[in-house]
Amino acid sequence: MTPQLEEAGRLLRLAQRDAVAFRVLLAAPEADAAIACFHAQQAVEKSLKAVACVRRVAFRRTHDLEELAARLGDAGAAIPVSAEVLRRLTPFAVEFRYNDEAIDTISGKEAGEIMRDVIRWAECELSAASGRSA
């Protein structure tokens, strides 16, 4: 296994852990949806970075999902969601974590669907990369 594939696997495991946190928090009536969506954003971010690792796409330390997706797109990756969708999820990484106002950029349901689609795509990308390195 290559170091890139090992790092990608680690990032994908972390993304899956964030996905679990998202689902638990979204289902908890006393939890704020913004906190759940933070974990959806983190799961998407880590999934994109996992694919960047296996494709050997350099990326800076960032929470900007659009930027990560653009770098992957430039490398020929077909991201399963649009830049507009990612733009609506990105603010949960930092801005909305320090704001106690109501947030309506995206619903919890939509955040969950985006997260699910990106994680599945990343899993497929890593599986394909594992097959090539075997």
Side-chain angles (χ1 to χ4, degrees):
M1 184 175 287
T2 67
Q4 292 85 1
L5 198 51
E6 286 180 25
E7 178 64 4
R10 184 185 73 80
L11 286 165
L12 190 55
R13 286 189 303 277
L14 291 171
Q16 292 161 338
R17 187 171 73 177
D18 277 311
V20 170
F22 166 80
R23 288 189 291 270
V24 168
L25 288 167
L26 194 63
E30 66 277 12
D32 190 290
I35 300 302
C37 288
F38 163 76
H39 288 284
Q41 186 283 336
Q42 287 290 288
V44 170
E45 178 183 324
K46 291 168 186 160
S47 296
L48 292 172
K49 288 177 176 178
V51 174
C53 285
V54 296
R55 288 181 170 256
R56 297 177 186 221
V57 173
F59 57 90
R60 68 183 183 92
R61 188 176 179 143
T62 184
H63 297 295
D64 187 332
L65 302 179
E66 276 186 282
E67 177 183 326
L68 292 167
R71 294 190 67 76
L72 285 165
D74 290 346
I79 313 300
V81 296
S82 71
E84 168 59 30
V85 167
L86 294 174
R87 182 178 309 119
R88 293 173 43 225
L89 191 56
T90 292
F92 288 96
V94 178
E95 291 93 347
F96 292 156
R97 289 188 66 211
Y98 297 95
N99 190 342
D100 63 353
E101 295 177 20
I103 300 163
D104 63 357
T105 64
I106 196 167
S107 71
K109 181 178 186 263
E110 187 177 7
E113 291 167 354
I114 295 163
M115 180 187 70
R116 179 200 63 217
D117 292 349
V118 174
I119 288 175
R120 284 182 183 165
W121 168 75
E123 289 169 342
C124 289
E125 288 277 324
L126 270 65
S127 179
S130 293
R132 288 191 301 268
S133 72

